[in-house]
């Protein structure tokens, strides 16, 4: 039998009510929030697509695993279980738990970087970039040209431009302590990186003697894209593909809030003994002892179980298809998005939809705010507000002005997604009435989280 309907590969045991609000209530809430959806109270949001990070639903097996948590300060049984799952998946010798991905980034970059150095990547995510810039170093984005054109369809738009990487290594190699690849490429639209491309990066790293680190937050989604899109990979399991991805690298940073299927947690893993020692010493300073790294024993249990569930094929088939389902609906209605659909999110192309709003008047904020006011949906701007502030304080348009609708894992059903599509299509119809914004106040680092805006 070959049924066409791809169903949620779970049934629901526990539910959480969502609150319906009126349009005037949402307008008032947004005004109080300085027109920044990060400042809203979550209960005033109907469908929350701000992020797929830490917002997933844990399985009954994960909730059960919480009770197995060993809360010993040192040498906890839960640590050894966590370590063995991470080692089995990644093959890395040293597994260092952290409270989330950015802690792993901070520890890695603070351990390896000296001012003036350069980290190449396909695209750095905001916290990765910030953790490099805070060390007075450069985060250099080297995604392939196709990855910068939202409407262009390419199976692996997250791939690294190997010629550009080679140029960086040739010209600035003495300033490059390591190379990173983000799988999937969040800032570039949740787009995957092919195995062939990771092998190409590996070969360049070998030639120039540089370690390669994966930003592995969404490694399982990337592995599934490889399975369905890369020639010769279709008969392999997602886990086997993921293991090969990790085998090509020397280490990784990981936020377990994404493909760890957990609400909190992360890790830093690597093979280099000396680097691991430096990292563990930093970990003790700010996160905790190396067998818990800022997490409870029960968190380590939930992550260990989550890392096993996330590579199951029925889960990944549903995950990738349900995101694509939203993308297909919007495309059919003529709403511009990054094509093809990403793994964890659909990215609306605000710059294309709202040509009357110049990038420095933040079309992504205009669209995000309209989605909230009209439909109670919370997305997030990934554009000029997030990436447009240079370290010297000047402002420049981001590479793109996108609104990301990130889908929490195992949380929303198909009818929720139908509603999101209807809401986004309705807002796209109102495009001519939308206006830009200006920033009233903002910090100098990661300004998008707390900035206040005023409508123009
Ligand atoms: N790297 C990537 C590619 C990410 O997407 C994130 C987080 C991090 C690193 C940092 O991990 O949040 O656990 O500290 N992305 C979330 C998002 C916040 O909404 O995309 P973290």
């Amino acid at each position: 039998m070959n049924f066409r309907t791809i169903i949620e590969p779970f049934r629901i045991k526990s539910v959480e009510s969502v609150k319906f609000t009126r349009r005037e209530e949402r307008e008032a809430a947004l005004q109080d929030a300085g027109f920044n959806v990060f400042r809203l109270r979550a209960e005033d949001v109907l469908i929350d697509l701000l992020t797929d990070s830490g917002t997933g639903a844990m399985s009954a097996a994960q909730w059960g695993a919480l009770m197995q948590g060993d809360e010993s300060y040192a040498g906890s049984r839960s640590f050894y279980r966590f370590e063995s799952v991470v080692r089995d998946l990644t093959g890395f010798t040293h597994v260092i738990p952290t409270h989330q991905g950015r802690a792993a980034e901070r520890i890695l970059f603070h351990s390896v970087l000296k001012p003036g150095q350069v980290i190449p990547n396909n695209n750095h995510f905001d916290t990765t970039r910030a953790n490099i810039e805070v060390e007075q170093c450069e985060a250099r984005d080297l995604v392939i040209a196709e990855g910068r054109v939202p409407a262009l369809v390419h199976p692996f738009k997250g791939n690294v431009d190997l010629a550009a990487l080679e140029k960086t290594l040739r010209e600035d190699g003495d300033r490059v302590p390591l190379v990173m690849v983000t799988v999937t490429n969040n800032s570039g639209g949740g787009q995957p990186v092919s195995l062939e491309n990771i092998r190409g990066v590996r070969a360049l790293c070998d030639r120039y003697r540089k370690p390669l680190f994966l930003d592995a937050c969404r490694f399982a989604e990337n592995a599934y894209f490889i399975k369905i899109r890369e020639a010769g990979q279709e008969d392999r399991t997602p886990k086997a593909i993921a293991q090969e991805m990790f085998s090509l690298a020397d280490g990784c940073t990981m936020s377990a809030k994404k493909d760890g299927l957990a609400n909190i947690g992360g890790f830093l893993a690597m093979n280099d003994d000396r680097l691991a020692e430096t990292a563990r010493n930093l970990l003790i300073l700010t996160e905790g002892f190396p067998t818990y790294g800022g997490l409870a024993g029960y968190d380590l249990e939930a992550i260990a179980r989550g890392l096993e569930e996330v590579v199951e094929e029925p889960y990944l088939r549903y995950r990738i298809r349900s995101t694509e389902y939203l993308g297909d609906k919007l495309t059919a209605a003529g709403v511009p998005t990054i094509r093809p659909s990403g793994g964890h999110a659909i990215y609306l192309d605000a710059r294309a939809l709202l040509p009357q709003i110049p990038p420095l008047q933040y079309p992504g904020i205009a669209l995000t705010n309209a989605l909230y006011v009209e439909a109670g949906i919370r997305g997030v701007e990934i554009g000029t507000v997030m990436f447009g502030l240079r370290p010297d304080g000047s402002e420049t348009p981001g590479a793109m002005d996108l609104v990301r609708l990130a889908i929490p894992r195992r949380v929303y059903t198909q009818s929720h997604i139908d509603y999101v599509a209807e809401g986004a299509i309705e807002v796209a119809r109102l495009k001519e009435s939308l206006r830009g914004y200006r920033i009233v106040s903002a910090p100098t680092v990661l300004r998008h989280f707390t900035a206040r805006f005023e409508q123009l």
Side-chain angles (χ1 to χ4, degrees):
M1 277 182 298
N2 218 344
F3 290 104
R4 286 180 46 245
T5 310
I6 295 173
I7 62 169
E8 285 85 355
F10 49 79
R11 47 188 188 170
I12 296 166
K13 183 180 298 227
S14 178
V15 299
E16 195 177 7
S17 298
V18 291
K19 187 175 105 184
F20 291 88
T21 51
R22 286 177 290 119
R23 193 178 190 285
E24 311 85 80
E25 290 171 330
R26 294 193 292 273
E27 271 179 333
L30 191 60
Q31 184 152 9
D32 284 350
F35 296 99
N36 182 348
V37 295
F38 274 108
R39 306 180 74 112
L40 288 171
R41 282 173 183 259
E43 62 179 9
D44 292 332
V45 174
L46 183 64
I47 307 256
D48 203 347
L49 307 183
L50 182 71
T51 179
D52 63 319
S53 180
T55 53
M58 292 211 297
S59 66
Q62 283 176 292
W63 285 109
L66 293 191
M67 284 307 291
Q68 305 294 327
D70 173 359
E71 303 305 338
S72 303
Y73 188 95
S76 148
R77 183 183 63 234
S78 302
F79 170 74
Y80 291 109
R81 162 143 166 73
F82 166 84
E83 183 189 52
S84 84
V85 171
V86 175
R87 273 201 189 139
D88 172 49
L89 185 68
T90 66
F92 299 132
T93 336
H94 300 284
V95 179
I96 300 172
T98 59
H99 78 275
Q100 58 183 83
R102 69 198 66 181
E105 292 167 359
R106 189 191 66 82
I107 290 169
L108 174 65
F109 293 131
H110 195 69
S111 301
V112 301
L113 285 177
K114 294 186 194 67
Q117 291 191 319
V118 180
I119 301 287
N121 199 334
N122 41 0
N123 283 118
H124 293 82
F125 191 61
D126 60 352
T127 57
T128 325
R129 171 172 293 279
N131 271 299
I132 292 167
E133 290 177 352
V134 83
E135 305 289 341
Q136 291 162 35
C137 293
E138 182 194 336
R140 192 174 291 178
D141 288 343
L142 300 176
V143 74
I144 54 170
E146 291 89 334
R148 300 177 199 266
V149 188
L152 198 140
V153 175
H154 180 288
F156 292 104
K157 271 176 109 169
N159 281 356
V160 177
D161 181 335
L162 296 177
L165 177 60
E166 163 126 56
K167 183 165 185 283
T168 285
L169 291 173
R170 198 174 54 236
E171 292 173 2
D172 298 318
D174 53 339
R175 293 196 289 135
V176 176
L178 59 85
V179 174
M180 279 205 105
V181 178
T182 305
V183 294
T184 57
N185 187 23
N186 186 7
S187 308
Q191 301 291 325
V193 180
S194 70
L195 261 184
E196 186 189 16
N197 189 251
I198 303 174
R199 288 193 196 111
V201 174
R202 172 79 258 167
L204 285 172
C205 287
D206 285 343
R207 175 134 31 106
Y208 289 88
R209 296 171 184 278
K210 301 295 176 193
L212 170 61
F213 274 68
L214 296 182
D215 177 339
C217 298
R218 299 178 181 85
F219 74 93
E221 292 169 8
N222 199 91
Y224 191 73
F225 277 122
I226 287 174
K227 179 179 170 68
I228 60 179
R229 292 187 186 166
E230 191 159 344
Q233 300 298 324
E234 60 275 12
D235 294 329
R236 298 179 75 192
T237 62
K239 183 176 170 185
I241 296 171
Q243 284 169 323
E244 183 174 350
M245 288 163 51
F246 285 114
S247 76
L248 292 164
D250 301 288
C252 73
T253 57
M254 172 73 187
S255 168
K257 302 173 74 172
K258 286 89 173 172
D259 277 351
L261 295 179
N263 299 122
I264 197 71
F267 57 85
L268 172 62
M270 65 194 74
N271 290 328
D272 183 323
D273 299 338
R274 285 218 355 240
L275 180 57
E277 194 185 324
T278 310
R280 284 203 181 97
N281 288 334
L282 262 181
L283 184 86
I284 293 175
L285 198 62
T286 59
E287 294 273 307
F289 192 74
T291 59
Y292 73 89
L295 295 170
Y298 54 69
D299 293 322
L300 295 168
E301 293 282 349
I303 296 165
R305 176 67 199 161
L307 288 171
E308 290 169 345
E309 290 178 8
V310 78
V311 289
E312 286 170 8
E313 206 168 321
Y315 163 74
L316 283 167
R317 184 189 307 122
Y318 140 82
R319 171 70 177 160
I320 297 304
R321 174 56 199 151
S322 57
T323 305
E324 184 187 52
Y325 172 80
L326 174 59
D328 288 351
K329 283 199 154 203
L330 297 180
T331 301
V335 179
T337 60
I338 293 194
R339 301 298 298 158
S341 294
H344 67 298
I346 296 301
Y347 294 67
L348 307 176
D349 186 350
R351 196 176 285 176
L353 184 72
L354 306 173
Q356 78 276 20
I357 304 179
L360 292 181
Q361 293 178 13
Y362 317 129
I365 297 294
L367 185 56
T368 302
N369 288 350
L371 270 170
Y372 175 67
V373 169
E374 300 302 329
I377 300 164
R378 175 158 70 168
V380 67
E381 189 248 26
I382 299 209
T384 300
V385 175
M386 190 178 275
F387 292 114
L389 192 62
R390 292 210 183 111
D392 69 3
S394 65
E395 217 186 0
T396 167
M400 300 187 253
D401 276 294
L402 305 169
V403 174
R404 186 184 72 175
L405 304 177
I407 320 285
R409 294 171 180 76
R410 308 190 288 205
V411 169
Y412 292 114
T413 64
Q414 187 168 348
S415 65
H416 287 120
I417 298 301
D418 286 334
Y419 172 90
V420 170
E422 193 182 342
I425 291 165
E426 192 49 46
V427 168
R429 269 197 210 109
L430 302 174
K431 62 187 176 190
E432 261 119 55
S433 67
L434 302 193
R435 287 177 291 147
Y437 284 82
R438 73 173 199 91
I439 290 179
V440 182
S441 63
T444 51
V445 196
L446 295 174
R447 61 178 179 167
H448 51 288
F449 290 126
T450 52
R452 288 182 166 273
F453 300 88
E454 201 170 70
Q455 202 160 21
L456 291 167

